């Protein structure tokens, strides 16, 4: 039990109930027992362990900052970055691959190891 009761300044009704507590507890009603409990303690164990709605605030904050980050990324893509370089086009990549095959770059384990030069196609 705690050293100090939750309610320190008792009203006249609570003082009378505390005097009645000194007698037999079988004479007390259920409401009086609850009132005595509330004088001594603030909450029950179930009330103490009851969940809160704080998770909604945290989830809302996380989603807000994720949305803000997405808006910043979209803004950067639109206003800060230039167009995609021409070296990413399909024609450039195929020409680069063909040039690597013609130069026989890394013939042991690299890209030319997977090319069949006799049939002029990729090995199966």
């Amino acid at each position: 039990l705690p050293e100090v009761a939750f309610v320190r300044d008792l009203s006249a009704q609570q003082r009378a109930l505390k005097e009645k507590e000194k007698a037999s507890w079988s004479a007390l009603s259920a409401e009086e027992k609850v009132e005595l409990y509330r004088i001594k303690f603030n909450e029950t164990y179930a009330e103490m362990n009851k969940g809160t709605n704080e998770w909604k605030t945290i989830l809302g904050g996380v989603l807000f900052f994720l949305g803000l980050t997405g808006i910043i990324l979209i803004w950067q893509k639109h206003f800060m970055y230039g167009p995609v370089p021409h070296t990413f086009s399909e024609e450039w990549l195929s020409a680069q691959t063909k040039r690597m095959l013609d130069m026989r770059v890394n013939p042991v384990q690299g890209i030319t190891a997977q090319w069949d030069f006799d049939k002029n196609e990729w090995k199966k």
Side-chain angles (χ1 to χ4, degrees), residues 20-34:
K20 191 175 179 183
E21 173 190 26
K22 294 176 183 175
S24 174
W25 275 61
S26 60
L28 294 172
S29 67
E31 293 82 19
E32 290 173 333
K33 290 177 185 176
V34 169

Side-chain angles (χ1 to χ4, degrees), residues 21 55 57 68 104 117:
E21 173 190 26
W55 67 272
T57 306
L68 184 65
R104 295 183 187 254
F117 290 95

Side-chain angles (χ1 to χ4, degrees), residues 61-108:
V62 167
L63 291 176
F64 172 77
F65 284 111
L66 284 175
L68 184 65
T69 303
I71 289 171
I72 290 171
L73 289 175
I74 290 170
W75 178 83
Q76 285 180 341
K77 184 170 172 52
H78 186 63
F79 291 107
M80 293 181 71
Y81 299 131
V84 177
H86 70 283
T87 55
F88 283 98
S89 67
E90 285 293 324
E91 299 86 22
W92 183 275
L93 289 175
S94 63
Q96 183 182 16
T97 304
K98 181 67 176 149
R99 184 166 185 264
M100 289 174 71
L101 290 173
D102 291 342
M103 291 174 56
R104 295 183 187 254
V105 174
N106 201 359
V108 177

